[in-house]
Amino acid sequence: MAFITGQKLFNPDTIDNAVVGIAADVAKHDSGMHHHQKAQLLYAPSGCMSITLDNMQCVLPPTRAAWIPAGIDHCSIMRNVVAYRSVYFDPASFQPLPDKLKVVSVNGLLRELIERMAFWPWDMPNREQQTLLALFWQELATAPVEQLTLPKPQDRRLQRWLSSLEQHNELLPTLNQAAKNIGASEKTISRIFSKETGMPYQAWRQQWRLMKAIELLAEKHQVSDVASELDFSSDSAFISFFRQHTGETPNKYIRETR
């Protein structure tokens, strides 16, 4: 097991083990785009991370974990203190491994398995790992997949516009305002979003607001503050929106993540 800091990028490919676990409390860390030869399970029992890939982004609150296949370019960002847990798996030692990025729900058993593996000594004999690894693979395979991902459009105009919004921490506007900012018609923007993300702009914006809400709630913002920051007409409108998309209220979600 290793501890990392926000100033140091850990490279699991330098460790010749079938399973490599690391753990640390990390604050305001940006890993930059990178990839490794090992597959990765990324999890934080407290705090919230966001993960960016070439054509997708996802949010990772404390009740979720991300499986990242080997060789996939990705960037992990932590804006506040996060209890970082990462477990890497050598593809040559485990066949076959899942080959698609996915975000899964973490129950109590899977959480404890991840914690155990994140703190394993790197020189632990493989035979001592087998029982827990078998249980881990079973739990990972049956864990519910969560829709906390957001495909990104590849159109350069939209990419520049979205990057500017993210850089200045601005709210994603309505379609008519977006059209004015980008200098294209609403019809053109909707067509590009539908073609490149599989969602019309309004649906894409709603998924963006949901993921942003989850991130803010995980960072311990109050429900009323989140509703205001994401431009909902009222707290009740935000609560209804959140329940519609997650099946639970923001307050219940906060209790679960804490």
Side-chain angles (χ1 to χ4, degrees), residues 153-165:
Q154 299 303 297
D155 182 272
R156 290 184 179 180
R157 291 173 299 173
L158 298 183
Q159 286 187 337
R160 287 195 297 268
W161 173 66
L162 290 171
S163 295
S164 178
L165 292 178

Side-chain angles (χ1 to χ4, degrees), residues 31-258:
S31 71
M33 292 298 291
H34 67 287
H35 65 270
H36 25 73
Q37 298 173 13
K38 290 181 171 68
Q40 179 182 19
L41 186 84
L42 190 57
Y43 173 66
S46 66
C48 187
M49 290 183 278
S50 61
I51 304 172
T52 300
L53 296 88
D54 283 341
N55 61 350
M56 184 181 297
Q57 66 184 62
C58 64
V59 63
L60 206 61
T63 53
R64 308 293 186 266
W67 174 265
I68 304 174
I72 298 294
D73 286 328
H74 62 281
C75 172
S76 303
I77 298 176
M78 304 153 216
R79 295 181 177 86
N80 290 284
V81 177
V82 171
Y84 181 91
R85 305 288 184 266
S86 188
V87 186
Y88 300 90
F89 302 89
D90 179 12
S93 302
F94 304 99
Q95 293 290 344
L97 293 177
D99 60 357
K100 302 291 184 183
L101 179 137
K102 63 178 180 178
V103 177
V104 299
S105 179
V106 176
N107 61 22
L109 177 56
L110 183 56
R111 180 183 66 244
E112 294 304 319
L113 290 169
I114 296 171
E115 283 286 288
R116 182 70 178 273
M117 290 188 293
F119 285 92
W120 268 352
W122 290 345
D123 58 355
M124 176 185 287
N126 290 339
R127 64 180 182 276
E128 297 181 16
Q129 302 177 351
Q130 295 311 307
T131 299
L132 288 183
L133 277 173
L135 186 55
F136 166 79
W137 293 123
Q138 179 181 338
E139 288 298 307
L140 181 65
T142 58
V145 176
E146 301 288 338
Q147 298 304 318
L148 295 181
T149 59
L150 189 65
K152 299 165 63 177
Q154 299 303 297
D155 182 272
R156 290 184 179 180
R157 291 173 299 173
L158 298 183
Q159 286 187 337
R160 287 195 297 268
W161 173 66
L162 290 171
S163 295
S164 178
L165 292 178
E166 182 177 349
Q167 182 180 355
H168 296 92
N169 198 28
E170 296 181 16
L171 180 67
L172 201 66
T174 59
L175 178 58
N176 64 339
Q177 186 60 53
K180 294 178 182 178
N181 295 340
I182 297 169
S185 68
E186 295 180 21
K187 183 177 181 180
T188 296
I189 293 174
S190 291
R191 176 178 56 79
I192 294 174
F193 267 92
S194 295
K195 179 181 179 180
E196 298 187 355
T197 71
M199 292 184 285
Y201 178 78
Q202 298 289 28
W204 195 91
R205 178 175 182 261
Q206 292 294 71
Q207 180 69 4
W208 182 92
R209 294 172 94 193
L210 174 65
M211 291 172 57
K212 188 65 175 178
I214 289 173
E215 183 178 340
L216 292 171
L217 290 171
E219 293 173 356
K220 301 183 180 180
H221 289 250
Q222 297 299 315
V223 170
S224 58
D225 294 334
V226 176
S228 176
E229 182 165 342
L230 296 181
D231 201 28
F232 284 90
S233 58
S234 64
D235 292 0
S236 59
F238 168 61
I239 293 170
S240 176
F241 163 85
F242 196 88
R243 183 189 291 117
Q244 178 184 354
H245 285 83
T246 67
E248 58 189 31
T249 66
N251 281 327
K252 182 180 179 183
Y253 172 82
I254 291 172
R255 289 195 298 271
E256 290 178 347
T257 59
R258 294 180 186 177

